[in-house]
């Protein structure tokens, strides 16, 4: 199964790149974690933020691989515990070709992405910096996968 993260923003700090690579390499055969970084729409002093978000939303949706289930990450989404995420992942591994997670830019995820997503997921009620979201998402997907594999990484 292919897990893809489409995220607005490029040139992340080294710690983000390092943590992403570390978690992505840990998945076993049959599961891969891939990242599609998309450019942030150029902002100027008097930019129309909604138009920029709409452009970013179009880019995010265009980055979704064909046949993938779409999960939008948004603070207003449904929250899953780690065991609930593991259960979701198990279902996706059985029923889906792949899953694509959408992460918006600094101005948030456009409504079109939430509307077209199969699910809207909140990592929590806190507002998190977008670079940190990538690391948290990669770690939680890895943790959920280890639960499905009865791997000792997750100790509850």
């Amino acid at each position: 199964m292919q897990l893809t993260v489409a995220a607005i923003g490029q040139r992340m700090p080294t710690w983000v790149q390092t943590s992403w690579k570390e978690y992505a390499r840990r998945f076993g055969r049959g599961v891969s974690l891939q990242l599609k970084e998309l450019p942030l729409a150029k902002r100027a002093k008097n930019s129309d933020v909604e138009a920029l978000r709409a452009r970013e939303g179009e880019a995010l949706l265009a980055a979704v691989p064909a046949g993938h289930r779409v999960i939008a990450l948004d603070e207003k989404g449904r929250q899953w515990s780690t065991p609930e995420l593991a259960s979701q992942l198990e279902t996706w591994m059985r029923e889906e070709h792949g899953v694509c997670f959408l992460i918006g830019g600094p101005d948030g995820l456009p409504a079109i992405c939430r509307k077209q997503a199969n699910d809207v997921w909140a990592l929590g009620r806190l507002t998190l910096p977008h670079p940190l979201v990538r690391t948290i998402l990669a770690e939680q997907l890895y943790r959920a996968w280890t639960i499905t594999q009865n791997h000792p990484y997750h100790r509850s």
Side-chain angles (χ1 to χ4, degrees), residues 23-142:
Y23 287 113
R25 77 164 185 77
R26 291 183 182 191
F27 284 88
R29 283 181 284 212
V31 178
S32 68
L33 180 62
Q34 299 176 354
L35 176 63
K36 291 186 177 186
E37 292 182 305
L38 305 168
L40 178 69
K42 300 226 188 283
R43 279 141 171 85
K45 188 175 183 179
N46 296 319
S47 293
D48 179 352
V49 174
E50 285 307 311
L52 297 174
R53 279 178 21 142
R55 192 173 320 141
E56 291 168 355
E58 291 170 9
L60 284 167
L61 293 171
V64 175
H68 277 49
R69 180 177 195 82
V70 177
I71 310 295
L73 273 77
D74 186 86
E75 63 189 9
K76 296 177 186 108
R78 186 169 35 152
Q79 295 181 48
W80 293 322
S81 67
T82 300
E84 288 170 334
L85 176 59
S87 178
Q88 287 289 326
L89 182 60
E90 222 165 26
T91 300
W92 298 333
M93 288 168 50
R94 261 192 329 270
E95 299 175 1
E96 304 292 341
H97 170 69
V99 179
C100 185
F101 300 88
L102 306 179
I103 301 174
D107 295 308
L109 196 65
I112 189 73
C113 291
R114 289 189 301 276
K115 287 178 186 170
Q116 291 195 19
N118 300 97
D119 285 302
V120 181
W121 176 28
L123 294 178
R125 293 176 44 195
L126 298 172
T127 300
L128 300 169
H130 289 80
L132 187 56
V133 169
R134 293 181 189 195
T135 297
I136 292 170
L137 177 59
E139 192 280 337
Q140 284 298 298
L141 290 172
Y142 174 71

